[in-house]
């Protein structure tokens, strides 16, 4: 019944089905939500997003001000200024660009500015790599931004639209970062259903009631906070970020009703009766893990997949619920948390979430796809086999490493 | 009596691996000119460090048989400053593009110039972001259409030479990679000069800049040394620096040494404070002199 309703809704809202890279899908979403100010600096693999936005402005399809600033530090700073002045603001970057923005990431979240940023992820220097992994995002995970990780071009398009509703929600008022695989998604074509823009604008209306810089009602943003009140600002920021999971569910319910699609904070695949689970994020790792799960099922191993879409705030409850019943799990990380108790950043979060609920499900930390090292379905199938053969907590795997 | 004079060849600074730039890229001219300048000065390979940032031209250290550091976008000059301070005996060449030096790293240009750090900074100025395949750069002329400015750039370009002079650089020159012999003489002059040298090089991007081509520059460049310019005159130098692109972005473009002055260098001042002994090199020298002893312990 719901599925039929959703199909009906979709037919009404979809304007056309196009072959788009995820970067272009993001640019289409930015146009659809009618942003006011875009501030960027070129970096591979982000650049084609802003090229497309420039084309939209040139063609009169988007009335937005675009500034090509002199660095990523300036890009996010200009976005901070624009958002502080009340504009709907967008920026995008990758890799070193996100690193260079780092101190401004804290300014944007501390000032509670609803900026949306797209991050086609990329490995970090040194040595130089332009290829994909998630090291850049992982360094930004504790900056107070909401972080969502998309796994398809369609999801990235939908997520940017949802991101403005979440960011501008009165219980949130925080910046949102939307990440996805650089190159593997940013530069590969997928079918994407684009919506009539009046529907998108109806979904993301300008109801932003924030305090903005306005001479008629002057305020100061970011003024000095003494030890008597600094802590309260930071506590409120933590509370607001934790509100994101509930707000996301609320926003997605409305999105599902209007556009016939929803994703949730996490997505499960064949997990209901699974003995062994793979936990992933992003496009390539998730796609390969899905095929590995199918391969295991064909061979009689009850495997399932949990994809984490909302990374910050960390959706502990659905993750714990999904993993509580499995015999063992493996978290596939596409970044290295150097010198940590386990090398996988997501693994550490999952393990902490389970521990906080008093659960000790055996789980292993797997690192793969660093600097876009090829990840094979067989690699992930091998992990499931290992779990089935009794590999448990304490095991660490660096898959795909040359011997 | 015969005196043996060692003549070095530019090829002695080349690695076996060919550059990966597009055929026709202006950076070939810069690479050729740099090797020629080093050969003419006879500087031993192991005494040269080439530091770069990020960009097409920043790959140049890969093609030099010298020490090299391929750093991070915009930060070549601070890295080079560290190298020069640690070991002032080294010849430090800094290589980067206009995006690296005149956008994300502009502040370092200002401060390296003001401190008069004794490095030679070569900027491959192609007026476009080439590595990211053709967006507006800080040097793109106003009105030029690029992938990021399909409506034509609304920004005015930066004037790096006027900026360098105003910041305190003591050797400021502009070359053209279509004239590598002339460019080699400018680079050689920059290396010989004691102090901060900026050599801005008009270096056409044949793939992503269809406006500022070799022909475009050939029709506009003229040599300062043939036009009675006095590079020691600060006001004359500033006037020449402002000629292009500030005064007339489509007018004639002076190439050659625009400004040259003598002023104490940063490493020179530090050396004076430390009574001529560099802490790092003295340790290196000690380690080398102790070499045989250390080796013996392994036998």
């Amino acid at each position: 019944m719901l599925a039929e309703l959703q199909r009906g809704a979709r037919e009404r809202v979809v304007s056309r089905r196009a072959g788009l890279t995820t970067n272009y899908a993001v640019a289409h979403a930015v146009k659809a939500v009618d942003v006011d100010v875009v501030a960027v600096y070129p970096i591979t693999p982000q650049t084609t997003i802003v090229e497309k936005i420039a084309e939209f402005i040139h063609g009169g399809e988007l009335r937005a001000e675009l500034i090509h600033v002199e660095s990523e530090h300036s890009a996010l700073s200009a976005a901070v200024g624009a958002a502080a002045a009340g504009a709907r603001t967008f920026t995008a970057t990758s890799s070193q660009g996100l690193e260079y923005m780092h101190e401004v990431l804290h300014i944007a979240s501390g000032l509670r500015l609803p900026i949306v940023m797209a991050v086609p992820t990329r490995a970090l220097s040194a040595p130089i790599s332009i290829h994909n992994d998630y090291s850049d995002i992982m360094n930004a995970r504790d900056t107070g931004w909401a972080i969502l990780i998309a796994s398809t071009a369609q999801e990235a398009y939908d997520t940017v639209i949802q991101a403005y509703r979440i960011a501008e929600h009165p219980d949130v008022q925080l910046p949102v970062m939307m990440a996805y695989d650089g190159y593997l998604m940013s530069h590969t074509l997928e079918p994407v259903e684009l919506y009539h823009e009046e529907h998108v604008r109806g979904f993301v209306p300008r109801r932003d009631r924030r305090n903005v810089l306005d001479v008629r009602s002057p305020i100061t943003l970011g003024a000095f906070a003494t030890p008597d009140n600094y802590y309260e600002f930071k506590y409120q920021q933590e509370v607001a970020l934790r509100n994101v999971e509930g707000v996301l569910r609320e926003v997605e319910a409305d999105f599902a009703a209007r556009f016939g699609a929803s994703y949730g904070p996490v997505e499960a695949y064949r997990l209901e009766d699974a003995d062994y689970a793979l936990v992933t994020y992003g496009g390539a790792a998730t796609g390969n893990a899905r095929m590995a799960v199918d391969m295991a099922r064909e061979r009689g191993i009850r495997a399932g997949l949990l994809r984490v879409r909302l990374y910050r705030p960390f959706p502990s409850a659905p993750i714990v619920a999904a993993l509580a019943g499995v015999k063992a799990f493996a978290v596939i990380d596409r970044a290295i948390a150097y010198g940590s108790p386990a090398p996988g950043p997501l693994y550490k979060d999952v393990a902490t979430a389970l521990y906080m609920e008093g659960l000790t499900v055996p789980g292993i930390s797997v690192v793969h796809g660093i600097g876009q090292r090829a990840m094979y379905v067989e690699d992930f199938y091998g992990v499931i086999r290992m779990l089935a053969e009794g590999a448990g907590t304490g095991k660490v795997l660096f898959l795909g490493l040359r011997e | 009596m015969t005196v043996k004079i060692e003549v070095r060849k530019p090829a002695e600074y080349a690695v076996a691996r060919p550059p990966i730039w597009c055929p026709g890229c202006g950076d070939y001219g810069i690479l050729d000119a740099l090797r020629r300048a080093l050969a003419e000065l006879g500087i031993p390979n192991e005494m040269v460090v080439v530091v770069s940032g990020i960009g097409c031209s920043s790959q140049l250290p890969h093609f030099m048989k010298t020490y090299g550091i391929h750093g991070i976008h915009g930060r070549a000059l601070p890295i080079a400053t560290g190298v020069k301070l640690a070991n002032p005996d080294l010849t430090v060449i800094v290589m980067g593009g206009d995006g690296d030096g005149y956008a994300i790293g502009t502040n370092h240009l200002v401060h390296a110039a003001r401190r008069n750090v004794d490095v030679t900074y070569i900027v491959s100025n192609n007026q476009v972001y080439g590595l990211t395949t053709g967006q507006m750069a800080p040097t793109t002329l106003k009105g030029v259409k690029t992938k990021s400015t399909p409506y034509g750039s609304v920004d005015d370009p930066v004037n790096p030479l006027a900026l360098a002079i105003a910041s305190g650089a003591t050797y400021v020159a502009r070359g053209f990679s279509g004239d590598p012999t002339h460019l080699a003489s400018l680079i050689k002059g920059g290396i010989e000069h004691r102090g901060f040298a900026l050599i801005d090089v008009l270096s056409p991007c044949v793939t992503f800049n269809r406006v500022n081509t070799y022909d475009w520059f050939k029709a506009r460049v003229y040599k300062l040394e043939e036009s009675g310019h006095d590079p020691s005159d600060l006001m004359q130098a500033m006037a020449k620096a402002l000629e292009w692109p500030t005064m007339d972005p489509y007018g004639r473009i002076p190439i050659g040494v625009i400004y040259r002055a003598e002023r104490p260098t940063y490493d020179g001042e530090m050396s004076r404070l430390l009574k001529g002994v560099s802490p790092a090199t003295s340790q290196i020298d000690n380690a080398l002199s102790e070499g045989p002893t250390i080796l013996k312990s392994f036998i």
Side-chain angles (χ1 to χ4, degrees):
Chain A
M1 182 64 189
L2 180 69
E4 270 175 45
L5 262 176
Q6 289 188 345
R7 263 199 301 278
R10 208 148 175 91
E11 277 166 25
R12 284 195 302 279
V13 294
V14 170
S15 65
R16 68 187 172 99
R17 192 173 156 89
L20 296 176
T21 63
T22 302
N23 276 0
Y24 279 6
V26 167
H28 276 275
V30 167
K31 173 163 76 82
V33 300
D34 190 26
V35 301
D36 303 316
V37 175
V38 179
V40 285
Y41 187 74
I43 187 165
T44 303
Q46 172 280 119
T47 314
T48 56
I49 302 175
V50 71
E51 286 176 359
K52 199 69 189 167
I53 291 173
E55 279 177 32
F56 289 146
I57 293 171
H58 182 50
E61 293 173 77
L62 171 64
R63 254 182 60 80
E65 292 186 80
L66 172 58
I67 181 155
H68 298 287
V69 287
E70 60 282 354
S71 74
E72 289 87 359
H73 197 280
S74 318
L76 190 53
S77 296
V80 161
R88 186 169 272 180
T89 307
F90 177 80
T91 186
T93 192
S94 299
S95 186
Q96 301 304 131
L98 188 61
E99 296 304 299
Y100 194 32
M101 280 182 181
H102 196 89
E103 70 168 337
V104 196
L105 292 176
H106 286 275
I107 305 299
S109 60
L111 293 181
R112 308 289 300 274
L113 299 171
I115 297 160
V116 173
M117 168 155 63
V119 183
T121 56
R122 168 183 146 181
L124 296 177
S125 288
I128 296 167
S129 165
I130 56 166
H131 291 98
N132 173 241
D133 68 32
Y134 277 75
S135 309
D136 47 5
I137 281 291
M138 292 306 169
N139 274 5
R141 69 185 184 266
D142 295 334
T143 56
W145 283 56
I147 302 175
L148 288 138
I149 305 174
S151 64
T152 65
Q154 181 72 55
E155 186 191 338
Y157 175 73
D158 292 348
T159 303
V160 169
I161 294 168
Q162 295 174 359
Y164 280 95
R165 269 276 291 267
I166 298 166
E168 292 168 7
H169 194 286
D171 296 343
V172 176
Q173 291 195 15
L174 282 172
V176 178
M177 202 181 287
M178 200 273 296
Y180 48 96
D181 297 14
Y183 277 122
L184 299 173
M185 289 171 65
S186 68
H187 285 62
T188 49
L189 284 172
E190 288 179 58
V192 179
E193 293 183 335
L194 301 171
Y195 310 134
H196 291 290
E197 290 183 354
E198 63 270 24
H199 289 288
V200 175
R201 288 170 195 187
F203 176 75
V204 200
R206 289 174 185 273
R207 274 199 299 247
D208 205 357
R209 295 278 179 270
R210 294 178 289 135
N211 287 323
V212 295
L213 298 177
D214 181 351
V215 285
R216 290 162 298 187
S217 170
I219 55 162
T220 300
L221 290 174
F224 189 82
T226 63
D228 289 338
N229 48 37
Y230 175 86
Y231 190 6
E232 282 67 30
F233 278 104
K234 292 288 132 182
Y235 177 72
Q236 285 174 20
Q237 208 180 310
E238 167 71 357
V239 170
L241 186 58
R242 287 192 184 277
N243 288 340
V244 167
E245 189 180 340
V247 170
L248 171 70
R249 289 181 191 279
E250 186 187 303
V251 166
E252 282 222 308
D254 189 24
F255 192 83
R258 291 168 187 251
F259 299 97
S262 67
Y263 305 91
V266 295
E267 255 192 341
Y269 176 70
R270 302 187 86 165
L271 205 57
E272 309 77 32
D273 63 339
D275 291 327
Y276 308 103
L278 296 181
V279 185
T280 62
Y281 49 88
T286 303
N288 283 8
R290 195 186 299 263
M291 291 174 76
V293 162
D294 290 343
M295 196 186 268
R297 289 267 176 179
E298 281 164 23
R299 287 160 177 74
I301 304 172
R302 287 197 295 195
L305 166 68
L306 185 70
R307 174 176 74 91
V308 177
R309 177 179 179 237
L310 178 64
Y311 186 54
R312 284 292 181 272
F314 195 69
S316 294
I319 289 173
V320 169
L323 298 179
V326 302
K327 289 181 184 163
F329 68 89
V331 179
I332 315 288
D333 267 292
R334 305 239 11 242
I336 302 172
Y338 299 98
S340 281
L346 177 63
Y347 176 86
K348 292 196 299 170
D349 290 326
V350 171
T352 306
L354 289 167
Y355 183 79
M356 286 180 77
E357 287 300 316
L359 297 175
T360 49
V361 186
I364 68 174
S365 179
V366 180
V367 171
H368 205 347
I370 299 300
Q372 213 171 313
R373 176 60 48 87
M375 299 179 288
Y376 297 99
V377 175
E378 288 74 14
D379 299 342
F380 294 168
Y381 172 68
V383 172
I384 297 171
R385 281 283 303 271
M386 244 179 245
L387 292 175
E389 284 159 12
T393 306
K395 189 159 181 66
V396 166
L397 286 174
F398 287 90
L399 283 185
L401 200 59
R402 264 209 327 263
E403 281 169 9
Chain B
M1 196 180 109
T2 56
V3 180
K4 193 180 171 193
I5 299 170
E6 197 181 343
V7 179
R8 304 214 68 194
K9 296 186 183 71
E12 292 174 43
Y13 298 90
V15 292
R17 181 172 162 234
I20 53 168
W21 296 312
C22 303
C25 175
D27 293 342
Y28 288 98
I30 298 175
L31 181 62
D32 177 51
L34 175 60
R35 288 171 180 167
R36 280 203 227 176
L38 291 170
E40 282 175 30
L41 293 166
I43 304 174
N45 298 54
E46 68 274 15
M47 295 307 288
V48 180
V49 184
V50 186
V51 183
S52 70
I54 297 291
C56 293
S57 55
S58 286
Q59 295 177 65
L60 186 136
H62 298 217
F63 317 125
M64 293 292 293
K65 201 200 271 177
T66 62
Y67 286 108
I69 301 177
H70 193 168
I72 194 170
H73 200 26
R75 313 304 149 203
L77 277 174
I79 292 173
T81 301
V83 170
K84 188 68 187 180
L85 277 186
N87 188 351
D89 295 339
L90 295 171
T91 295
V92 181
I93 311 290
V94 191
M95 182 71 213
D98 49 301
D100 207 73
Y102 306 152
I104 200 165
T106 323
N107 49 344
H108 305 308
L109 169 62
V110 171
H111 296 287
R114 134 183 115 75
R115 294 188 187 108
N116 204 25
V117 181
D118 185 20
V119 300
T120 305
Y121 187 24
I122 305 167
V123 177
S124 169
N125 183 350
N126 60 10
Q127 298 165 276
V128 74
Y129 282 109
L131 192 67
T132 49
T133 74
Q135 297 77 30
M136 184 196 77
T139 43
T140 302
L141 299 181
K142 190 169 184 171
V144 169
K145 292 180 179 178
T146 69
K147 277 196 197 170
S148 62
T149 56
Y151 36 76
S153 162
V154 295
D155 294 29
D156 275 307
V158 71
N159 186 319
L161 301 184
L163 179 66
I165 295 170
S167 302
T170 46
Y171 181 97
V172 177
R174 181 190 281 125
F176 173 38
S177 55
D179 188 348
T181 306
H182 181 247
L183 179 58
S185 73
L186 297 177
I187 295 174
K188 189 179 163 189
I191 295 170
E192 284 178 309
H193 174 77
R194 287 277 296 150
F196 184 79
L198 170 70
I199 299 142
D200 179 75
V201 185
L202 307 168
S203 179
C205 173
V206 294
T207 308
F208 296 110
N209 188 339
R210 303 299 169 89
V211 177
N212 311 103
T213 60
Y214 284 101
D215 287 344
W216 195 90
F217 285 117
K218 269 181 195 153
R220 286 171 174 79
V221 294
Y222 71 96
K223 288 182 179 153
L224 284 168
E225 53 271 32
E226 294 165 6
S227 68
H229 174 63
D230 176 9
S232 67
D233 182 329
L234 177 64
M235 289 304 151
Q236 239 190 74
M238 203 51 152
K240 280 292 161 198
L242 289 170
E243 239 177 61
W244 185 85
T246 308
M247 301 304 285
D248 182 2
Y250 293 89
R252 297 182 73 211
I253 306 171
I255 58 171
V257 179
I258 287 184
Y259 182 59
R260 190 189 288 132
E262 294 299 326
R263 196 159 62 78
T265 63
Y266 191 85
D267 48 285
E269 292 292 272
M270 284 310 294
S271 178
R272 193 170 55 79
L273 282 172
L274 297 169
K275 306 198 182 343
V277 183
S278 153
T281 44
S282 60
Q283 281 176 26
I284 293 167
D285 292 344
N286 287 341
L288 286 175
S289 62
E290 286 166 13
T293 325
I294 295 166
L295 277 175
K296 269 175 210 158
S297 68
F298 286 96
I299 297 166

